[in-house]
Amino acid sequence: MNLMVIGGGGREHAIIQKLKENPEVTTIWCLPGNGGIAADAECAPIGAEDIPAQVEFARSHDIDYVVVAPDNPLALGAVDALEEAGFPCFGPRKNAAIIEASKAFSKDLMKKYNIPTAAYEIFTDPKAAIAYIDAHEVPIVIKADGLALGKGVIIAMSHEEARQAVHEMMEESKFGDAGSTIVIEEFLEGPEVSVLSFTDGKTLIPMVSSMDHKRAKDNDEGLNTGGMGAIAPNPYYTEAIAEESMRTIFMPTLKAMEAEGRPFKGCLYFALMLTKNGPKVIEYNSRFGDPETQAVLPLLESDLLTIMKATTDGTLDQVEVKFSDKASCCVVVASDGYPLHYEKGNPITIREDVRANVTVAGAQLKNGVLVNTGGRVLGVTAVADTLEEAVAEAYRKVEGVGFANAYYRHDIGQRALQCGEE
Ligand code: AMP
Ligand code: GLY
């Protein structure tokens, strides 16, 4: 069987490593992939957003199944185009991917179907937005409507900061069109949980829970990034909270999308805040998280390809989705200065004994040498019986990778290890 995975980061590498476990898989193509993924898949230089070229590639390479991993191609309709050309896909169609692509859409969906989330208003006029800010307490949260690579969210600690965020998003177009509509919402407090789920539109099976670490520096300092590490499972997400989330958030969301004529299949990712008034949705993603996937998929004991195909065929209720009861930790190794300015082109070394634990995000092969080309460069994941051991093991294995100006957080998993002690 020939597979095609669209994307080229650490998440895609983790998905490919798992897909390879299925003995029926002959070739995995990754478009565009990266220099590290090239060790596990055939990479082809076609951009994740070049949908016509992807369809053409699938035709000429006898592709049996496609996984569309990143948010942009999903929002642009990659699944629609590939399915119309006869290629079954993992991932939502464009009309369902909007659950991530437009925060205004997802907030209105939650309001209409009584799904718990932060109170909010949507604005297209900066004057009205500023009047709203002046009438509300801080902290207050300002979000660009569209996709902004996880950077379009400002937690304003003062009214001045909130007004400045509105100005930058709406008047200076800091996030381009993504910020011409904004959402202003209530500040929520509590531990955050990422729950990725498999769904075929009718059945929804949550994966093991996880915790991302979004800030660049230790102790949650520094700028927001795509994610500097993840652990799974998330100890704050108890059985009781899981049951409540399924009842008040997950199934109502799936049914809401169905009722709106936007059935969702693929990976629906719930970013939750566990507030004292119960779990609330921070945002939805229409895809696997990065780096959560690098922590979650190594714990999956069932066959990933079988599950993915069942989400496409509408037979998810007939397959087994089993996770081990171990724990995992993924430490992201970035180029210092990320998410702003950082060096590129530094050679990367990966020791042979840690190779199987490494996913490669931003790197290319130059004359046969792997060099960094992105801010987030590598992920190092370890699985162990306890979270404490997984964290310790991940940090031991991080010593086996390196490049000039490599940087990683030293406290991935520490918040989770303190669960119950606060
Ligand atoms: P998002 O891109 O929506 O995931 O937001 C990025 C980060 O901002 C989240 O991981 C949260 O830590 C934080 N955040 C988003 N919305 C809120 C909110 N309403 N209250 C508090 N923090 C938030
Ligand atoms: N780790 C957060 C995300 O994938 O959006």
Side-chain angles (χ1 to χ4, degrees), residues 5 7-18 30 33-34 36-37 69 288-295 297-298 330 332 357-363 376-381:
V5 175
R11 164 186 55 201
E12 288 76 10
H13 199 175
I15 290 171
I16 287 166
Q17 288 172 342
K18 203 75 201 171
C30 191
N34 67 45
I37 291 177
F288 281 95
D290 190 335
E292 289 95 325
T293 305
Q294 292 90 306
L297 285 187
C330 171
V332 170
N357 299 80
V358 173
T359 47
V360 179
R376 291 193 293 178
V377 182
L378 305 171
V380 179
T381 300

Coordinates of all heavy atoms in Angstrom, one line a residue, residues 5 7-18 30 33-34 36-37 69 288-295 297-298 330 332 357-363 376-381:
V5 N 1.7 11.5 2.9 CA 1.5 12.3 4.1 C 1.8 13.7 3.7 O 2.9 14.0 3.2 CB 2.3 11.9 5.3 CG1 2.2 12.8 6.5 CG2 1.9 10.4 5.7
G7 N 2.7 17.5 4.7 CA 3.3 18.3 5.8 C 4.8 18.0 5.9 O 5.3 17.2 5.1
G8 N 5.4 18.6 6.9 CA 6.9 18.4 6.9 C 7.5 18.8 8.2 O 8.6 19.4 8.3
G9 N 6.8 18.5 9.3 CA 7.4 18.9 10.6 C 7.5 17.7 11.5 O 7.4 16.5 11.1
G10 N 7.7 17.9 12.8 CA 7.9 16.8 13.8 C 6.6 16.0 13.9 O 6.7 14.8 14.1
R11 N 5.5 16.7 13.9 CA 4.2 15.9 13.9 C 4.1 14.9 12.8 O 3.8 13.7 13.0 CB 3.1 16.9 13.8 CG 1.7 16.4 13.5 CD 0.7 17.4 13.3 NE 1.1 18.4 12.3 CZ 0.6 19.6 12.2 NH1 -0.3 20.1 13.0 NH2 1.1 20.5 11.2
E12 N 4.4 15.3 11.6 CA 4.3 14.4 10.4 C 5.3 13.3 10.6 O 5.0 12.2 10.2 CB 4.6 15.2 9.1 CG 3.4 16.1 8.7 CD 3.3 17.4 9.5 OE1 4.3 17.7 10.3 OE2 2.3 18.1 9.4
H13 N 6.5 13.6 11.2 CA 7.5 12.6 11.4 C 7.0 11.5 12.3 O 7.1 10.3 12.1 CB 8.8 13.2 11.9 CG 10.0 12.3 11.7 ND1 11.3 12.6 12.0 CD2 10.1 11.0 11.2 CE1 12.1 11.7 11.7 NE2 11.4 10.6 11.2
A14 N 6.3 12.0 13.4 CA 5.8 11.0 14.4 C 4.6 10.2 13.8 O 4.5 9.0 14.0 CB 5.2 11.8 15.6
I15 N 3.8 10.8 12.9 CA 2.7 10.1 12.2 C 3.3 9.0 11.3 O 2.9 7.8 11.3 CB 1.8 11.1 11.4 CG1 1.0 11.9 12.4 CG2 0.9 10.3 10.5 CD1 0.3 13.1 11.8
I16 N 4.4 9.4 10.6 CA 5.0 8.4 9.6 C 5.7 7.3 10.4 O 5.5 6.1 10.0 CB 6.0 9.2 8.7 CG1 5.2 10.0 7.7 CG2 7.0 8.2 8.1 CD1 6.1 11.1 7.0
Q17 N 6.4 7.6 11.5 CA 7.0 6.5 12.3 C 5.9 5.5 12.7 O 6.2 4.3 12.7 CB 7.7 7.1 13.5 CG 9.0 7.8 13.1 CD 9.7 8.6 14.3 OE1 9.0 8.8 15.3 NE2 10.9 8.9 14.1
K18 N 4.8 6.0 13.0 CA 3.7 5.1 13.5 C 3.1 4.3 12.3 O 2.8 3.1 12.4 CB 2.6 5.9 14.2 CG 1.8 5.1 15.2 CD 2.6 4.8 16.5 CE 2.0 3.6 17.2 NZ 2.8 3.1 18.2
C30 N 6.2 11.7 1.6 CA 5.9 12.9 2.4 C 6.1 14.1 1.6 O 7.2 14.3 1.0 CB 6.7 12.9 3.7 SG 6.2 14.1 4.9
G33 N 7.8 17.0 3.4 CA 8.8 16.3 4.3 C 9.9 17.2 4.7 O 9.8 18.4 4.5
N34 N 11.0 16.6 5.2 CA 12.2 17.4 5.5 C 13.4 16.4 5.6 O 13.2 15.2 5.4 CB 12.0 18.2 6.8 CG 11.9 17.3 8.1 OD1 12.7 16.3 8.2 ND2 11.0 17.6 8.9
G36 N 15.1 15.1 7.8 CA 15.1 14.1 8.8 C 14.0 13.0 8.5 O 14.3 11.8 8.6
I37 N 12.9 13.5 8.0 CA 11.8 12.6 7.7 C 12.3 11.7 6.5 O 11.9 10.5 6.4 CB 10.6 13.4 7.2 CG1 9.9 14.1 8.4 CG2 9.5 12.5 6.6 CD1 8.7 15.0 8.1
A69 N -2.0 16.5 7.3 CA -1.7 16.8 8.7 C -1.8 18.3 9.1 O -2.3 18.6 10.1 CB -0.3 16.2 9.0
F288 N -4.0 17.0 14.2 CA -3.1 16.6 15.3 C -2.3 17.8 15.8 O -1.9 18.6 15.0 CB -2.0 15.5 14.8 CG -2.6 14.1 14.7 CD1 -3.1 13.6 13.5 CD2 -2.6 13.3 15.8 CE1 -3.5 12.3 13.4 CE2 -3.0 12.0 15.7 CZ -3.5 11.5 14.5
G289 N -2.0 17.8 17.1 CA -1.2 18.9 17.6 C 0.3 18.6 17.4 O 0.7 17.5 17.3
D290 N 1.1 19.7 17.5 CA 2.6 19.6 17.4 C 3.1 20.4 18.5 O 2.9 21.6 18.5 CB 3.0 20.1 16.0 CG 4.5 19.8 15.8 OD1 5.3 19.6 16.8 OD2 4.9 19.8 14.6
P291 N 3.7 19.9 19.6 CA 4.3 18.6 19.7 C 3.5 17.5 20.4 O 4.1 16.4 20.7 CB 5.6 18.9 20.5 CG 5.2 19.9 21.4 CD 4.2 20.7 20.7
E292 N 2.2 17.7 20.7 CA 1.5 16.7 21.4 C 1.6 15.3 20.7 O 1.7 14.3 21.4 CB 0.0 17.1 21.5 CG -0.2 18.2 22.5 CD -0.3 19.5 21.8 OE1 0.4 19.7 20.8 OE2 -1.1 20.4 22.2
T293 N 1.5 15.3 19.4 CA 1.5 14.0 18.6 C 2.7 13.2 18.9 O 2.7 12.0 19.0 CB 1.4 14.4 17.1 OG1 0.3 15.2 16.9 CG2 1.3 13.1 16.3
Q294 N 3.9 13.9 19.1 CA 5.1 13.2 19.3 C 5.1 12.6 20.7 O 5.9 11.6 20.9 CB 6.3 14.2 19.2 CG 6.6 14.8 17.8 CD 5.8 16.0 17.5 OE1 4.6 16.1 17.6 NE2 6.5 17.1 17.1
A295 N 4.3 13.0 21.6 CA 4.2 12.4 22.9 C 3.0 11.4 22.9 O 3.1 10.3 23.6 CB 3.9 13.4 24.0
L297 N 1.3 9.6 20.2 CA 1.4 8.5 19.3 C 2.3 7.3 19.7 O 2.0 6.2 19.5 CB 1.6 8.9 17.8 CG 0.5 9.5 17.1 CD1 0.8 9.7 15.6 CD2 -0.8 8.7 17.2
P298 N 3.4 7.6 20.4 CA 4.2 6.5 20.9 C 3.5 5.6 21.9 O 3.9 4.5 22.2 CB 5.5 7.2 21.5 CG 5.6 8.5 20.7 CD 4.2 8.9 20.5
C330 N 8.0 14.5 25.4 CA 8.8 15.0 24.2 C 9.4 16.4 24.6 O 8.6 17.3 24.9 CB 7.8 15.1 23.0 SG 8.6 15.9 21.6
V332 N 11.3 19.5 22.9 CA 11.6 20.1 21.6 C 12.9 20.8 21.7 O 13.2 21.6 22.7 CB 10.5 21.1 21.2 CG1 10.9 21.9 20.0 CG2 9.2 20.3 20.9
N357 N 14.3 7.7 18.9 CA 13.5 8.6 19.8 C 13.3 10.0 19.2 O 12.7 10.9 19.8 CB 14.2 8.8 21.1 CG 14.3 7.4 21.8 OD1 15.2 6.7 21.5 ND2 13.5 7.2 22.8
V358 N 13.9 10.3 18.0 CA 14.0 11.6 17.5 C 13.0 11.8 16.4 O 12.9 11.0 15.5 CB 15.4 12.0 17.0 CG1 15.5 13.3 16.3 CG2 16.4 11.9 18.2
T359 N 12.2 12.9 16.4 CA 11.5 13.4 15.3 C 12.1 14.7 14.8 O 12.6 15.5 15.6 CB 10.0 13.7 15.6 OG1 10.0 14.5 16.8 CG2 9.2 12.4 15.8
V360 N 12.1 14.9 13.5 CA 12.8 16.0 12.9 C 11.8 17.0 12.4 O 10.9 16.7 11.7 CB 13.8 15.6 11.8 CG1 14.5 16.8 11.2 CG2 14.8 14.6 12.4
A361 N 11.9 18.3 12.8 CA 11.0 19.3 12.4 C 11.5 20.2 11.3 O 11.2 20.1 10.2 CB 10.5 20.1 13.7
G362 N 12.5 21.1 11.7 CA 13.0 22.1 10.8 C 14.4 21.8 10.4 O 15.3 22.3 10.9
A363 N 14.6 20.9 9.4 CA 15.9 20.6 8.9 C 15.9 20.1 7.5 O 14.9 19.6 7.0 CB 16.5 19.5 9.8
R376 N 11.9 25.4 15.4 CA 11.9 24.1 16.1 C 12.6 23.1 15.2 O 12.2 22.9 14.1 CB 10.4 23.7 16.4 CG 9.7 24.7 17.4 CD 8.4 24.1 17.9 NE 7.4 24.0 16.8 CZ 6.2 23.6 17.0 NH1 5.8 23.1 18.2 NH2 5.3 23.5 16.1
V377 N 13.6 22.5 15.8 CA 14.5 21.6 14.9 C 14.2 20.2 15.2 O 14.0 19.4 14.2 CB 15.9 22.0 15.2 CG1 16.8 21.2 14.2 CG2 16.1 23.5 14.9
L378 N 14.2 19.7 16.4 CA 14.1 18.3 16.7 C 13.1 18.1 17.9 O 12.9 19.0 18.7 CB 15.5 17.7 17.2 CG 16.7 17.9 16.2 CD1 17.9 17.4 16.9 CD2 16.5 17.1 15.0
G379 N 12.6 16.9 18.0 CA 11.9 16.5 19.2 C 12.5 15.2 19.7 O 12.8 14.4 18.9
V380 N 12.6 15.1 21.0 CA 13.2 13.9 21.6 C 12.1 13.3 22.5 O 11.8 14.0 23.5 CB 14.5 14.2 22.3 CG1 15.1 12.9 22.9 CG2 15.5 14.8 21.3
T381 N 11.7 12.1 22.2 CA 10.6 11.5 23.0 C 11.0 10.3 23.8 O 11.8 9.5 23.2 CB 9.4 11.1 22.1 OG1 8.9 12.3 21.5 CG2 8.2 10.6 22.9

